[in-house]
Amino acid sequence: MSELKQETRRPVVTLDGPAGSGKSTTAKEVARRLGFRHLDSGGLYRALTLALLEEGVPREEWPDLTEDGMRALPVHVASEGSEFVIEVGGRPMKSELRTPEVTANVAFLASLPASRACLLGLQRAAGEQGSLVADGRDMGSVVFPGAEVKVYLVADLTERARRRLKEGGGSDPADDEVEREAGVIAERDRQDSERELSPLRKPEDAHLIDTTRLDFVEQVKAIVALVEAQGTE
Ligand code: DC
């Protein structure tokens, strides 16, 4: 029985949800626990945004870019072991993708049909072999509608703002800082949910997990258990 199971395709797991709900850190750890690869699709939209900013293309001209124009930007994704390394201009990216300037422009870039078309094939190719945990906004609804396990993570806005401010190990932020960050996140949620293409939505068949009061380890365990249960169904 277990030999048979090993021959079957290993699942694609999708984690969608609003900004700051803990998708990326959770997806990364779930992938590590399962021995799957992790795709941070928000990182891809951020990389296109950074490339456009670095190339000095004025924001008002972004809607004129075609899918091929987006594809011609110096953004590459290399598969290295269990990781996908995102490169912009030949440089591997990490914190550069999370600067306030990139964050302030990425929801606009992600609302453009050419950016979504440009990234669709690339994301699907990453899931072709299964064994993938993909996080974003439309992983379960559009990119991998047939994913074996779908999760939708939510958390209170204030809690999401606090987590964002504490990213990188900072101390407890003051209430007015939290309030300001909550405003920024709420605006991005609005743009991500109200856009015409691939808006942020919970797929009907996704498991809803509210992480507001969940311990990170418990949250990871719960998702790993869903994947393991799926394998025995
Ligand atoms: O998860 P994140 O904050 O890195 O996402 C950055 C932006 O990219 C966010 O505003 C929404 C957009 N995005 C998207 O539209 N679709 C995805 N699958 C992932 C991210």
Side-chain angles (χ1 to χ4, degrees):
M1 182 64 182
S2 60
E3 275 173 20
L4 261 183
K5 239 192 277 160
Q6 282 183 358
E7 281 172 23
T8 58
R9 193 181 99 108
R10 299 181 77 202
V12 168
V13 183
T14 61
L15 258 73
D16 290 303
S21 55
K23 299 180 301 291
S24 277
T25 39
T26 307
K28 191 169 181 179
E29 182 59 12
V30 168
R32 195 189 66 77
R33 292 269 307 270
L34 292 167
F36 287 11
R37 289 166 310 148
H38 168 222
L39 179 70
D40 165 17
S41 64
L44 300 175
Y45 287 96
R46 287 173 177 275
L48 287 183
T49 305
L50 179 62
L52 286 165
L53 293 170
E54 286 191 344
E55 303 251 306
V57 182
R59 188 175 138 122
E60 58 275 17
E61 291 177 15
W62 296 5
D64 301 332
L65 283 165
T66 61
E67 186 183 335
D68 283 345
M70 294 279 180
R71 215 168 264 136
L73 290 167
V75 172
H76 295 282
V77 182
S79 178
E80 274 185 23
S82 65
E83 289 290 323
F84 291 99
V85 178
I86 303 176
E87 295 177 354
V88 176
R91 290 164 292 131
M93 294 286 128
K94 281 215 163 133
S95 56
E96 299 88 334
L97 296 178
R98 314 202 76 82
T99 63
E101 198 189 7
V102 170
T103 301
N105 287 287
V106 64
F108 176 61
L109 178 281
S111 71
L112 304 174
S115 75
R116 307 211 73 86
C118 162
L119 294 178
L120 184 65
L122 194 153
Q123 295 170 105
R124 286 199 174 144
E128 247 162 35
Q129 312 294 324
S131 304
L132 182 76
V133 183
D135 76 80
R137 304 293 189 287
D138 63 342
M139 295 295 99
S141 56
V142 173
V143 179
F144 300 112
E148 285 82 354
V149 178
K150 297 181 186 178
V151 174
Y152 193 80
L153 289 183
V154 293
D156 283 357
L157 180 61
T158 312
E159 178 58 21
R160 291 191 280 133
R162 191 169 285 120
R163 286 181 195 165
R164 268 282 142 100
L165 291 167
K166 286 182 76 177
E167 262 172 18
S171 51
D172 266 341
D175 288 351
D176 60 337
E177 263 185 290
V178 174
E179 205 176 307
R180 213 174 314 122
E181 183 64 18
V184 173
I185 293 180
E187 172 55 19
R188 202 142 63 89
D189 285 352
R190 190 192 61 74
Q191 290 185 57
D192 291 340
S193 310
E194 291 182 2
R195 69 173 178 232
E196 232 166 274
L197 276 174
S198 303
L200 172 66
R201 291 264 183 290
K202 175 189 168 297
E204 263 179 30
D205 50 351
H207 301 269
L208 179 73
I209 302 184
D210 185 339
T211 70
T212 309
R213 278 169 208 86
L214 270 191
D215 163 41
F216 181 72
V217 176
E218 291 302 317
Q219 173 178 319
V220 169
K221 257 199 208 161
I223 299 171
V224 169
L226 285 174
V227 180
E228 286 171 347
Q230 188 275 334
T232 59
E233 271 164 13

